[in-house]
Structure formats: structure tokens, C-alpha cells
Amino acid sequence: MNEMSIEIKSGLSVILYELFYMNEADLKNLSPFGEKQRKYYEKFDENKIEMIGKALEWAERNSDYPFNTIYPRHSKIENKLVFNFLKYTLHGLVDFGLYKV
């Protein structure tokens, strides 16, 4: 597992903050990444999207990292569900052309 830099941790924190508005059932039944998400992320400046994208790429390469421990509130959520949300977000950003891998 690669060490997590401050930039990676910051990018993951931005995305994982969104989990405060979701529960485990939401994470098990993610609707397709669509216009609502695109419009939300479109408002972010280029540097923030780049930071988030790099963090999500890091997450995809380090799937065994305990992502559900970054925020204590997420500890009751299965790590696999948190990881799947990160992957879902990365692929959505790429598919909508908001981030280039």
C-alpha cells in the first residue's frame, strides 16, 4: 500500500464528506452518476477537481486501505461500500469529462 500524502488525504476528505448525507442503504443502491452529480462537481475549480481525481485514482490503486476510518462516523459502514463509492465517483468524473485519467 502506498503512503497517503496530504493532497490525497485532502481530496478523499472532500469526497468522503458526502457520505455524511448517505447511509449504508444508499451506498448499496447507488443510482447512476448523472446530471445532478455532474452539475455539483462542475462548480468545483480545476485545481480542486484535479486534487479529488488524483485522490480517487490513489484510492482505486489502494483498495485495501481502510477508507471507512478516515472519518470516525463512517466506521460502521462496510469499507467495501466506501471504496465502491470512491470508484463510482472517479468513473463518473471521467465519464462526464470533468477529470482526465
Side-chain angles (χ1 to χ4, degrees):
M1 175 166 42
N2 296 328
E3 191 172 320
M4 187 186 299
S5 69
I6 295 295
E7 182 182 35
I8 298 300
K9 193 167 192 166
S10 296
L12 288 175
S13 292
V14 170
I15 296 300
L16 291 174
Y17 182 78
E18 293 177 34
L19 294 184
F20 284 106
Y21 303 103
M22 301 176 82
N23 59 40
E24 198 161 321
D26 295 332
L27 291 171
K28 286 180 179 177
N29 300 300
L30 289 171
S31 59
F33 196 96
E35 279 301 302
K36 182 179 176 184
Q37 291 91 340
R38 183 191 62 77
K39 286 179 181 179
Y40 173 74
Y41 289 111
E42 215 172 42
K43 295 175 187 173
F44 290 14
D45 70 44
E46 201 173 306
N47 292 330
K48 191 171 187 176
I49 287 288
E50 190 69 22
M51 176 184 68
I52 290 168
K54 285 180 181 178
L56 293 171
E57 284 188 80
W58 182 92
E60 193 167 52
R61 289 189 308 273
N62 292 278
S63 60
D64 58 337
Y65 185 85
F67 298 104
N68 62 344
T69 63
I70 293 175
Y71 284 115
R73 181 174 180 204
H74 301 150
S75 65
K76 294 181 179 164
I77 300 173
E78 246 184 277
N79 193 55
K80 180 182 176 185
L81 292 174
V82 176
F83 173 72
N84 285 341
F85 177 74
L86 296 172
K87 217 167 58 166
Y88 159 88
T89 305
L90 173 61
H91 292 243
L93 291 175
V94 170
D95 291 348
F96 274 89
L98 298 171
Y99 178 72
K100 291 179 180 32
V101 187

